[in-house]
Amino acid sequence: MADSALNAAGARQRWRQLPVVARVAIVYFAARVVTAVFFLLAAQLSGADSRFGVDPSITDLVLAWDSRWYWIVAETGYPADLPMTDSGAIAENQWAFMPIYPYLAKLVSFPFGQWAVGAFLVSIAAGFAASYVLYLLMREKLAESAAMWSVVFFACGPLAGLFQIGYAESLFLLWLFLALLCIVRRRFGWLYLLIPLMGYTRPGVLAFALFLALFGIWRWFQRERERLGAIEIVHIVALGFWAVVVGFSWQVIAGIVTGDAGAYLSTELAWRRNWIAGDAAFAPFDGFLAATSFWFGAMWGLSAEVGYVVLGLGVAAIAAALLVVPAVKKLGVELRLWSASYLVYLLLVFFPQSSIFRLLVPLSPMWGAFAAPRSTPWRLSVLAACLIGQWWWIYNMFGLGNTVWQIP
């Protein structure tokens, strides 16, 4: 028994002596093996009634769902003439997908001859880099063990399958974590590059603009505790303006190319028409309100009023968690302000359906709150829940994918 304890202590010592990047790599790529097994099992269990048919290949899954849109962008670019439905509305098209990820994947794919290979390599490499930056971000506020466990939860999380398919999330997370690290360390210069990288990888940079506004207000009221110099004020204001410009620029670009000023918004709304009838127009908060009525009323047979109450209680509970939960407060004001800003952004623009799970991935710094408690049973329980959730998501979205709530 004493020998076992000594061996365990020795293993822990050898683990701590490894460079951080090596430890993150071991955690991340071990998690990718588990995810690969989940995808293979889902492919084996895919039946005739599945969206992907019997025994789909891994390439089929890498190119599934929105991955195919990114592939179309890489191969054909963006349409100057918007496709129309039989009813005369703008149909789904490439303008809903930002250009950096598909073109980067195409560049990487040249030696291999298949865009799917490039997409896989970009996603998995960006996920590893994001994991390492997440560790650095967590170490600004948490102990070493908690920071590493944050990486474990992130790499094994319910949506970790995104690191191995042709989606832009892992690349966006890399830019986002770098941007948050710059904010925490007060290194604002890099943000002038990171903001357009975020903005042209995936929608969400307007949430970062809101975050910068809230961060600037907080810094103003904290200026007695932490000196707020004129240069920092200029950076915060300029970066907030820059994020707004980048956030709206894609709409301008789409309008110029197509000759339709509303091309981007109409394209985004084309997906909403798959859920609710009618030619919906965009209005802040309307997506969440319409979806609440849809899910609680049309789908679950309850009243919309019940849904609104649940929505209100959910918003209040999340706000309370960000304000008062000790494990969340340990992460620092910056990460809490980012989380609040991103959630407000979703409330403003998103129509919630099964993709809400994927849309919540930019809240990944919150894994630190789950890792902060030092209890080993707690951490192992969270890890188990992550893996169960990951299998559930992969099986339903990629093994089945045949009902309205099985869309990633």
Side-chain angles (χ1 to χ4, degrees):
M1 187 171 182
D3 289 341
S4 298
L6 286 173
N7 290 336
R12 286 194 295 269
Q13 183 65 23
R14 289 191 295 273
W15 171 255
R16 294 191 188 100
Q17 288 175 345
L18 289 173
V20 169
V21 68
R23 282 181 277 156
V24 171
I26 291 169
V27 167
Y28 178 78
F29 287 106
R32 301 286 61 77
V33 172
V34 174
T35 300
V37 171
F38 286 166
F39 272 118
L40 290 170
L41 285 174
Q44 289 295 315
L45 294 173
S46 180
D49 59 344
S50 164
R51 176 184 176 91
F52 305 102
V54 177
D55 197 25
S57 68
I58 292 298
T59 301
D60 293 332
L61 301 186
V62 170
L63 287 175
W65 299 107
D66 285 354
S67 302
R68 188 159 296 275
W69 283 109
Y70 286 115
W71 172 73
I72 293 172
V73 169
E75 296 301 320
T76 66
Y78 294 91
D81 298 316
L82 293 170
M84 310 296 288
T85 66
D86 293 338
S87 64
I90 293 175
E92 299 168 352
N93 64 84
Q94 298 96 293
W95 283 108
F97 302 91
M98 306 304 174
I100 288 181
Y101 176 79
Y103 289 130
L104 179 59
K106 185 174 183 178
L107 179 65
V108 173
S109 74
F110 280 138
F112 308 99
Q114 292 187 49
W115 184 86
V117 176
F120 171 81
L121 292 174
V122 170
S123 290
I124 202 166
F128 167 63
S131 297
Y132 177 66
V133 179
L134 179 64
Y135 174 87
L136 299 178
L137 187 59
M138 293 296 101
R139 280 297 282 131
E140 294 292 324
K141 304 295 181 180
L142 302 177
E144 191 280 334
S145 64
M148 189 58 68
W149 274 100
S150 301
V151 173
V152 171
F153 298 154
F154 175 66
C156 299
L159 278 292
L162 291 169
F163 299 135
Q164 289 166 239
I165 60 175
Y167 272 59
E169 267 71 11
S170 58
L171 190 60
F172 179 83
L173 290 174
L174 173 59
W175 310 140
L176 173 63
F177 293 170
L178 284 169
L180 292 172
L181 186 63
C182 287
I183 292 289
V184 171
R185 293 181 174 179
R186 310 294 190 257
R187 296 177 182 174
F188 299 102
W190 287 104
L191 292 170
Y192 293 97
L193 173 62
L194 289 168
I195 284 173
L197 287 175
M198 283 192 287
Y200 297 121
T201 297
R202 180 186 173 279
V205 75
L206 288 175
F208 201 79
L210 175 59
F211 162 63
L212 286 168
L214 296 177
F215 173 74
I217 293 170
W218 173 74
R219 285 290 289 116
W220 176 260
F221 284 105
Q222 292 291 312
R223 66 189 185 278
E224 297 298 327
R225 296 185 179 182
E226 180 185 351
R227 182 180 177 274
L228 179 63
I231 293 178
E232 184 174 349
I233 294 173
V234 170
H235 275 311
I236 293 171
V237 173
L239 288 166
F241 178 75
W242 181 224
V244 170
V245 169
V246 171
F248 285 106
S249 64
W250 191 245
Q251 298 183 38
V252 175
I253 293 169
I256 292 172
V257 173
T258 64
D260 182 346
Y264 175 73
L265 283 179
S266 297
T267 297
E268 289 287 3
L269 292 171
W271 269 267
R272 189 178 300 183
R273 284 193 295 271
N274 293 330
W275 296 86
I276 55 176
D279 294 325
F282 173 77
F285 300 108
D286 180 67
F288 254 86
L289 294 176
T292 298
S293 177
F294 170 78
W295 286 104
F296 281 84
M299 295 300 295
W300 298 335
L302 302 171
S303 68
E305 288 74 15
V306 172
Y308 298 144
V309 170
V310 172
L311 176 61
L313 292 174
V315 170
I318 291 171
L322 291 174
L323 287 170
V324 302
V325 173
V328 176
K329 292 175 69 175
K330 283 185 178 181
L331 300 180
V333 172
E334 296 90 347
L335 298 185
R336 292 154 65 202
L337 286 177
W338 159 250
S339 300
S341 300
Y342 185 72
L343 289 169
V344 169
Y345 167 78
L346 289 184
L347 283 171
L348 282 167
V349 306
F350 186 56
F351 179 88
Q353 18 80 15
S354 57
S355 295
I356 190 67
F357 301 115
R358 176 171 55 86
L359 270 291
L360 292 175
V361 166
L363 298 176
S364 291
M366 287 295 108
W367 282 122
F370 291 89
R374 293 179 178 272
S375 166
T376 299
W378 163 259
R379 288 170 171 174
L380 292 176
S381 297
V382 173
L383 175 58
C386 286
L387 293 173
I388 292 169
Q390 184 183 156
W391 166 246
W392 180 91
W393 189 78
I394 289 174
Y395 174 64
N396 278 280
M397 308 302 171
F398 295 90
L400 299 176
N402 51 14
T403 68
V404 294
W405 57 269
Q406 292 170 328
I407 301 173

